[in-house]
Amino acid sequence: MSEKNTNIGLKIINIRELSFVNKLTDFIVDNFSEDKLDLNIGMFVRGSSDKNTVSLTVFVSYSFEDEEKNKKIEFIKLETETIFKLFDVSEDELKFLDENDEIYISDDLMNLFLDASIGAIRGMFAYKTASLPINLVLPLLDVSRFIKENSISESE
């Protein structure tokens, strides 16, 4: 009886900053409180079947709640892209679905992509915000929960 090969060949080709916006104002600094902060995290996945690559774009942003005006002010946003090259990946793990480069990615493989991409954005975010007069840290995230909340089944 032969065992199924569960090794995935994965290489990070590139990690880069796509954009960084800093709109920190004196008002936010003077009224800063962690309970008035909202953290938003999002992602976008693209694949290239001819290059056998997957590109994961991740963004993080912080908004501040201005209670007087009853609105949220987005004041920091960072967007990064991590490109992965894949080798010896089964269709159970990764499948390119059409010519528009739509892809199916298993939860386990997506977990690997997110761990690497969020680690990269955490480091860039810390570097970019280190000199600010307020302390902003990208918290540790349960990526498996993030995957479940953003998962789409193959039948959808």
Side-chain angles (χ1 to χ4, degrees), residues 9 13 21 25 33 44-45 48 51 56 69 139 147-148:
I13 294 178
V21 177
T25 63
S33 172
F44 180 75
V45 181
S48 175
K51 296 178 184 175
L56 182 58
K69 294 182 181 177
I147 291 169
K148 283 181 185 175

Side-chain angles (χ1 to χ4, degrees), residues 71-108:
K71 69 176 189 175
K72 293 188 183 208
I73 305 165
E74 183 180 86
F75 66 96
I76 293 281
K77 184 173 182 180
L78 176 61
E79 184 177 14
T80 63
E81 178 185 51
T82 307
I83 301 174
F84 301 90
K85 176 84 172 173
L86 299 138
F87 309 92
D88 302 322
V89 179
S90 74
E91 285 195 4
D92 292 338
E93 296 291 330
L94 176 79
K95 189 184 322 178
F96 294 95
L97 301 174
D98 64 19
E99 67 278 351
N100 293 328
D101 292 327
E102 290 183 39
I103 56 177
Y104 160 78
I105 302 171
S106 72
D107 288 353
D108 289 341

Side-chain angles (χ1 to χ4, degrees), residues 15-28:
I15 301 173
R16 67 186 180 119
E17 175 186 315
L18 297 178
S19 66
F20 178 68
V21 177
N22 177 357
K23 296 181 181 177
L24 185 64
T25 63
D26 289 340
F27 173 79
I28 295 171

